[in-house]
Amino acid sequence: MKLYSDAALAKILDREIFHQISAVADRLGVECYVVGGYVRDIFLERPSDDIDVVVVGSGIQVASELKKVLGHKAHLSVFRNFGTAQVKYQPPKAKRQQPLEIEFVGARRESYSHDSRKPVVEDGTLEDDQNRRDFTINAMAICLNKERFGELVDPFNGIADLEDHIIATPLDPEVTFSDDPLRMMRCIRFATQLNFQIEEETFEALERMADRIKIVSGERIEVELNKIMMAPHPSIGFEYLQRSGLLQIILPELAALDIVEKRDGRAHKNNFYHTLEVLENVVRNSEQQTANSLYLRWAALLHDIGKTKTKRWEPKTGWTFHNHNYVGAKMVQDIFRRLKLPMGAEMRYVQKLVDLHMRPIAIADEVVTDSAVRRLLNDAGDDIDDLMTLCEADITSKNEVRKKMFLENFRMVREKLADLKEKDYKRLLQPVIDGNEIMELFHLQPSREVGILKQYLKDAVLDNQVENEREPLMRLLMEKAQKMGLAVD
């Protein structure tokens, strides 16, 4: 990490927009600073176009004057209830797709009541504003006024914490987290995204204050959880959540997996740490970020969620978790609802993967038959590749011989799947005789009999007993109908 002099920082900020803000602030006679994540990311050498500006005075006034300078290419939004304003601006000839977003706020002092995250806000100094920041690495400010342009104001030595890869609060962490408990989630999220350590005193405050997270809305927790989930190594965050006690409150079903029981000298594995290993495997093995990336990771996190409810001790076989996939899939809906995650296609996708995640493993544990692969593809449909990624990630055995065998069998499963997909599996696996034709042939209303006949034909196709063609399927249909006492006029 580079350390920059004030002159070097001035050079980094040598963008027209900063000089325009500087001129406006000087003309109005107010102090003006770029703060927070933008400053942090300068030192981390990460690109950012989301700019936060603190004005010792009226942020709205500076934003309004800047809009006049920038003209019709800038859009001004004012939020008077919050004392903030935003300027969106697309610099001329800029190659970026997204416009700059510059948030302006007046320096302020905050005080909180015990049962709310909403502070009482008063005008304040830059020092007051930096005191209210969540972490030292986010409390740095760089002056934009002409006489001090590029001067770093770092009262809590955030630079040192960046160098040491430390997350710490500017003031007493217990007060910081009590005032706004969402900061506990943000603390873990930053540690995860940046791969930083949480400073000891700060972590101890997390443990003491964990119960305060209950006053935070599910929507705000969901945002932080998803950011943790999409970090390069999300397991860092979930381990911090577990160690701090936050996970037991937010996602107790996952926290409950952190146990090892032993009987007669036989112990089951710790399914919490196994889950984190599977999650990391999914992140590593996913070839590219897709629309499903977030929810594939959620499926990995929840794939064994049913094991606590299904765990049994059987003297002959040891610890078992029969049907944990089915039980876990049923739990997904309640978890998504509580965490305010989407209840539509995303939830059903996670349910499907949790429910099916044992199927490829069962196939790979035996002879890989065409019939089993056809049934798997029929049930997984377009999500088959994600299911296979999850299942391969689930092979965490320390027995290298057994692991190699599974992965080799998975390779064979993938080859058979590729062959089926190439042949248009949707056409191949859906019988050409459908329910409507069955009802017409036998003069039936929708009924149990129709369902039996449909399933009979489907099983014949999936098991590759006959080609998916009209004549052989009609023969099978008539034979089955006759046994059921049905006849065609």
Side-chain angles (χ1 to χ4, degrees):
M1 182 185 304
K2 292 180 183 176
L3 291 180
Y4 298 98
S5 65
D6 290 348
L9 288 173
K11 188 174 182 179
I12 289 170
L13 295 177
D14 189 19
R15 296 168 63 174
E16 185 178 8
I17 189 66
F18 289 120
H19 290 291
Q20 288 166 321
I21 296 170
S22 175
V24 168
D26 284 346
R27 188 164 65 249
L28 294 173
V30 294
E31 291 179 40
C32 193
Y33 301 84
V34 60
V35 298
Y38 190 87
V39 177
R40 178 197 68 228
D41 288 344
I42 286 175
F43 294 102
L44 291 175
E45 299 182 313
R46 300 197 310 180
S48 176
D49 281 331
D50 293 333
I51 302 168
D52 292 322
V53 174
V54 163
V55 177
V56 184
S58 172
I60 293 175
Q61 185 183 21
V62 173
S64 300
E65 289 298 312
L66 179 66
K67 164 68 174 76
K68 294 176 185 177
V69 171
L70 298 177
H72 70 278
K73 292 185 178 180
H75 176 75
L76 173 68
S77 301
V78 175
F79 311 95
R80 294 197 181 277
N81 288 345
F82 299 97
T84 65
Q86 181 192 72
V87 175
K88 284 190 178 181
Y89 175 58
Q90 185 73 56
K93 301 180 182 179
K95 295 181 180 179
R96 65 175 59 85
Q97 297 297 315
Q98 297 297 323
L100 291 173
E101 293 187 2
I102 311 160
E103 301 280 347
F104 290 86
V105 64
R108 58 194 187 184
R109 181 168 57 246
E110 295 178 346
S111 57
Y112 291 80
S113 63
H114 186 74
D115 59 351
S116 174
R117 291 182 55 238
K118 295 180 180 179
V120 176
V121 178
E122 304 173 87
D123 291 342
T125 63
L126 176 65
E127 181 183 3
D128 291 327
D129 201 89
Q130 289 178 299
N131 286 344
R132 72 177 183 83
R133 298 279 162 176
D134 50 8
F135 307 110
T136 60
I137 62 173
N138 295 333
M140 297 180 287
I142 301 175
C143 188
L144 294 180
N145 296 95
K146 185 176 181 180
E147 286 191 4
R148 297 169 54 210
F149 193 85
E151 178 184 314
L152 177 66
V153 183
D154 183 18
F156 305 108
N157 212 4
I159 283 288
D161 286 345
L162 279 176
E163 280 193 294
D164 295 336
H165 292 190
I166 292 293
I167 303 292
T169 58
L171 303 177
D172 181 344
E174 192 163 310
V175 174
T176 298
F177 295 147
S178 180
D179 283 349
D180 184 356
L182 184 64
R183 289 169 176 163
M184 295 189 287
M185 295 295 299
R186 285 170 56 83
C187 176
I188 290 173
R189 188 250 292 182
F190 279 120
T192 307
Q193 289 178 324
L194 301 175
N195 197 9
F196 279 20
Q197 297 289 316
I198 298 175
E199 182 261 341
E200 185 176 355
E201 185 180 349
T202 302
F203 184 78
E204 289 171 356
L206 279 179
E207 294 177 294
R208 290 193 300 273
M209 305 305 296
D211 202 56
R212 288 280 287 155
I213 200 68
K214 292 177 182 177
I215 74 166
V216 180
S217 71
E219 289 85 354
R220 298 306 298 272
I221 291 173
E222 177 218 358
V223 169
E224 296 301 325
L225 280 176
N226 284 340
K227 288 179 179 179
I228 290 169
M229 191 71 85
M230 291 307 293
H233 295 287
S235 65
I236 294 171
F238 286 100
E239 185 170 357
Y240 270 132
L241 287 169
Q242 176 70 342
R243 287 175 49 210
S244 66
L246 285 164
L247 196 65
Q248 288 88 328
I249 299 168
I250 296 167
L251 193 46
E253 300 89 342
L254 181 63
L257 296 177
D258 189 8
I259 188 172
V260 174
E261 286 193 66
K262 191 173 184 178
R263 283 196 194 179
D264 297 341
R266 287 192 282 185
H268 63 75
K269 65 188 172 188
N270 184 307
N271 286 300
F272 174 75
Y273 285 98
H274 162 73
T275 293
L276 297 190
E277 189 175 353
V278 174
L279 178 59
E280 288 294 320
N281 287 343
V282 161
V283 173
R284 184 175 63 253
N285 296 341
S286 299
E287 292 182 2
Q288 56 188 0
Q289 296 293 314
T290 68
N292 280 344
S293 292
L294 172 60
Y295 295 101
L296 176 56
R297 295 182 186 200
W298 270 107
L301 191 74
L302 301 181
H303 81 285
D304 276 349
I305 208 75
K307 281 191 169 180
T308 302
K309 290 187 175 181
T310 58
K311 182 168 66 174
R312 300 288 183 273
W313 169 256
E314 298 178 5
K316 290 184 179 179
T317 57
W319 294 102
T320 65
F321 303 91
H322 296 311
N323 293 322
H324 74 273
N325 54 310
Y326 171 74
V327 171
K330 289 178 67 176
M331 295 167 67
V332 167
Q333 185 171 6
D334 286 342
I335 291 170
F336 266 53
R337 183 179 291 112
R338 187 177 71 244
L339 295 179
K340 308 300 181 184
L341 288 158
M343 296 298 294
E346 297 89 347
M347 186 272 292
R348 292 190 294 274
Y349 165 87
V350 173
Q351 275 188 318
K352 180 198 280 190
L353 265 59
V354 172
D355 188 25
L356 295 178
H357 82 271
M358 295 299 292
R359 286 274 294 280
I361 292 173
I363 293 172
D365 203 16
E366 301 173 358
V367 177
V368 180
T369 66
D370 288 349
S371 173
V373 173
R374 291 164 75 93
R375 286 182 173 278
L376 176 65
L377 183 52
N378 176 74
D379 292 341
D382 292 337
D383 299 318
I384 186 64
D385 290 332
D386 287 349
L387 177 62
M388 292 301 296
T389 296
L390 173 59
C391 292
E392 288 170 349
D394 198 17
I395 305 302
T396 61
S397 172
K398 299 301 183 281
N399 183 328
E400 290 301 321
V401 173
R402 182 168 173 77
K403 186 174 182 178
K404 186 176 180 181
M405 180 201 75
F406 268 112
L407 294 177
E408 174 61 22
N409 281 5
F410 275 138
R411 186 188 61 76
M412 294 170 60
V413 171
R414 280 193 179 273
E415 285 180 358
K416 290 178 182 290
L417 287 169
D419 184 55
L420 277 171
K421 285 194 284 186
E422 189 177 334
K423 294 176 180 176
D424 186 5
Y425 77 91
K426 291 182 179 178
R427 181 182 59 79
L428 283 172
L429 303 183
Q430 294 301 321
V432 294
I433 300 174
D434 63 13
N436 290 327
E437 186 170 356
I438 290 171
M439 288 190 287
E440 187 177 332
L441 280 168
F442 299 104
H443 304 290
L444 295 171
Q445 295 297 315
S447 60
R448 179 173 174 272
E449 286 82 2
V450 176
I452 290 172
L453 291 171
K454 280 178 61 180
Q455 191 61 49
Y456 182 72
L457 294 184
K458 187 160 193 175
D459 288 342
V461 170
L462 292 175
D463 291 337
N464 209 19
Q465 293 176 13
V466 294
E467 291 295 321
N468 190 8
E469 295 174 356
R470 186 173 186 77
E471 185 177 334
L473 282 176
M474 188 61 76
R475 249 192 333 266
L476 279 180
L477 177 62
M478 291 303 172
E479 291 172 3
K480 181 66 174 177
Q482 187 175 13
K483 291 179 182 177
M484 294 172 62
L486 300 173
V488 183
D489 290 344

